[in-house]
C-alpha cells in the first residue's frame, strides 16, 4: 500500500483540527517490550510519523507539529542523545523528497544552543527546499521546550524595548506571538499524545492554551493513520467554549 495516495480519502469528519500537536512518545517501551534497545524503538517510529503525516493530509489538517526532541531530552544517556541527533538528521535527509512530493512544507521549531550544527543545517535545508509548498505544514520540534520558547521571546522583546523599538507597557499577546519560533503557527486545536502518559511535557505551552487534549494508549511505533483519524473523530465530538456559556434548552 502506498503511504500516501491522493485518491484515498479519509472518513468524513464533523470538524477537522487546523493544528495538531503530536507528542510521539513510547518508543523506548515499545522496544524494551520486545527485548530490543531503545534506539530500535526510535527507528520504528519513523514510519509511524510518515503514516500520520499522510493521514493528516488525507483528513485535511493544515498544520501538524511533531515533538521529536525536547530541551529536557538532553538528560538521556550520551549514547541515546547521539543516536537521536544523528537520526533526526538522517530521517530529514531520507524523507525530504517524499515530503516534497506530498507538497508538505517543513518548518523547525526549537532553539539553537546545544543543538548539533549539522542537525540545524539539515532542518534549514529542508525548510528552504519546501518553502513554496502549499499543502500541510509539518513543524519538527527539535531541541524544543515550551518555557524556553517563551523565555527566548521575552529576551527578543527586551532587546527591542532597549533599542526603543517597542514601548514598555505596549506589549500584547500579539507582540509575544510574533517572537515565537514559528510565528505563523496557529493555536493548537488538538493536542495528541501517544503511549498513555497524561502530561504535556513542556510542548507548545503558549499555542495550546485552549487545545483539546487527547491521550492514546498506543505506543508511538504502533501508531498509524487510523489512530489519528480516531482522534480527529473524537475531537469532533468535543464542545469547545473558549470561556463562553450557553444555556441548555429547558424542558
Ligand atoms: C519518545 O519515546 C521519543 C523521544 C522522546 C525522542 P521515548 O524515548 O520517550 O519512549 P519511552 O517513553 O521511554 O517509552
Ligand atoms: C516528550 O516525551 C518529548 C518527545 C516526545 C520528544 P518524553 O518521553 O521525553 O517526556 P517525559 O520525560 O515522559 O515527560
Ligand atoms: Mg517517553
Amino acid at each position: 500500500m502506498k503511504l500516501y495516495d491522493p485518491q484515498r480519502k479519509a472518513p468524513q469528519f464533523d470538524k477537522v483540527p487546523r493544528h495538531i500537536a503530536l507528542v510521539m512518545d513510547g518508543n523506548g517501551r515499545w522496544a524494551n517490550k520486545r527485548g530490543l534497545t531503545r534506539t530500535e524503538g526510535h527507528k520504528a517510529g519513523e514510519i509511524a510519523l510518515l503514516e500520520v503525516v499522510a493521514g493528516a493530509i488525507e483528513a485535511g489538517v493544515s498544520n501538524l507539529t511533531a515533538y521529536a526532541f525536547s530541551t529536557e531530552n538532553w538528560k538521556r544517556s550520551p549514547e541515546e542523545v547521539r543516536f537521536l541527533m544523528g537520526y533526526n538528521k538522517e530521517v530529514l535527509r531520507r524523507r525530504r523528497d517524499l515530503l516534497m512530493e506530498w507538497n508538505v512544507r517543513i518548518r523547525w521549531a526549537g532553539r539553537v544552543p546545544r543543538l548539533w550544527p549539522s542537525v540545524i543545517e539539515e532542518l534549514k535545508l529542508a525548510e528552504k527546499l519546501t518553502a513554496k509548498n502549499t499543502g500541510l505544514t509539518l513543524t519538527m520540534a527539535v531541541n524544543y521546550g515550551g518555557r524556553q520558547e517563551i523565555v527566548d521571546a521575552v529576551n527578543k522583546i527586551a532587546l527591542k524595548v532597549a533599542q526603543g523599538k517597542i514601548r514598555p507597557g505596549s506589549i500584547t499577546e500579539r507582540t509575544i506571538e510574533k517572537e515565537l519560533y514559528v510565528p505563523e503557527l496557529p493555536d493548537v486545536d488538538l493536542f495528541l499524545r501517544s503511549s498513555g502518559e497524561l502530561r504535556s511535557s513542556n510542548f507548545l505551552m503558549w499555542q495550546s492554551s485552549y487545545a483539546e487534549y487527547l491521550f492514546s494508549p498506543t505506543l508511538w511505533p504502533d501508531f498509524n493513520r487510523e489512530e489519528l483519524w480516531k482522534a480527529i473523530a473524537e475531537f469532533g465530538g468535543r464542545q469547545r467554549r473558549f470561556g463562553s456559556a450557553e444555556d441548555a434548552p429547558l424542558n
Side-chain angles (χ1 to χ4, degrees):
M1 186 175 88
K2 267 166 80 176
L3 264 172
Y4 168 57
D5 176 355
Q7 302 308 319
R8 185 174 49 228
K9 287 276 170 281
Q12 279 294 309
F13 298 107
D14 295 345
K15 269 186 292 178
V16 175
R18 187 148 83 108
H19 185 186
I20 299 181
L22 183 66
V23 183
M24 308 182 285
D25 196 16
N27 298 350
R29 277 164 285 164
W30 182 92
N32 289 163
K33 263 190 3 192
R34 289 165 174 74
L36 302 168
T37 57
R38 297 180 55 80
T39 49
E40 292 304 316
H42 299 314
K43 285 188 199 163
E46 177 178 352
I47 207 75
L49 177 61
L50 287 169
E51 259 275 328
V52 166
V53 170
I57 298 172
E58 288 160 359
V61 174
S62 55
N63 273 276
L64 182 70
T65 304
Y67 211 1
F69 190 92
S70 75
T71 44
E72 286 69 41
N73 286 147
W74 295 106
K75 290 180 197 158
R76 298 190 177 195
S77 73
E79 295 74 36
E80 186 170 353
V81 167
R82 202 174 317 121
F83 175 84
L84 286 169
M85 285 293 126
Y87 193 62
N88 270 294
K89 209 162 48 180
E90 268 173 44
V91 171
L92 277 167
R93 198 173 308 160
R94 192 165 41 235
R95 300 300 186 175
R96 67 182 176 217
D97 291 344
L98 182 67
L99 293 169
M100 188 72 197
E101 261 174 52
W102 294 359
N103 196 22
V104 168
R105 182 168 182 201
I106 302 171
R107 305 295 310 265
W108 166 47
R111 66 189 338 214
V112 170
R114 279 188 96 170
L115 188 54
W116 286 15
S118 58
V119 177
I120 298 176
E121 250 171 59
E122 207 60 54
L123 283 158
K124 293 230 161 120
L125 185 64
E127 280 192 331
K128 209 169 129 198
L129 200 75
T130 62
K132 293 204 169 67
N133 287 352
T134 52
L136 175 102
T137 298
L138 171 65
T139 303
M140 296 303 297
V142 185
N143 199 23
Y144 176 87
R147 284 192 174 181
Q148 286 79 359
E149 180 175 37
I150 296 167
V151 168
D152 287 347
V154 168
N155 276 312
K156 284 186 249 170
I157 294 167
L159 185 65
K160 288 189 180 167
V161 170
Q163 293 168 335
K165 291 180 186 159
I166 295 178
R167 200 167 35 80
S170 71
I171 293 165
T172 62
E173 289 186 12
R174 189 71 204 109
T175 321
I176 294 170
E177 272 160 12
K178 276 198 240 164
E179 303 298 346
L180 298 176
Y181 297 137
V182 184
E184 306 83 65
L185 274 187
D187 282 350
V188 172
D189 300 300
L190 172 59
F191 186 111
L192 177 59
R193 182 171 189 151
S194 61
S195 90
E197 303 294 357
L198 308 180
R199 54 178 170 269
S200 68
S201 299
N202 202 15
F203 192 38
L204 296 178
M205 292 184 71
W206 178 278
Q207 298 87 340
S208 300
S209 71
Y210 248 110
E212 293 296 326
Y213 281 76
L214 223 145
F215 299 94
S216 158
T218 304
L219 299 173
W220 179 247
D222 291 329
F223 221 82
N224 55 25
R225 47 156 68 67
E226 281 77 23
E227 288 278 337
L228 177 83
W229 292 344
K230 253 200 297 187
I232 296 177
E234 191 177 332
F235 167 83
R238 298 270 180 102
Q239 207 196 5
R240 301 181 84 190
R241 284 190 283 274
F242 299 101
S244 68
E246 241 173 71
D247 266 329
L250 296 172
N251 292 316

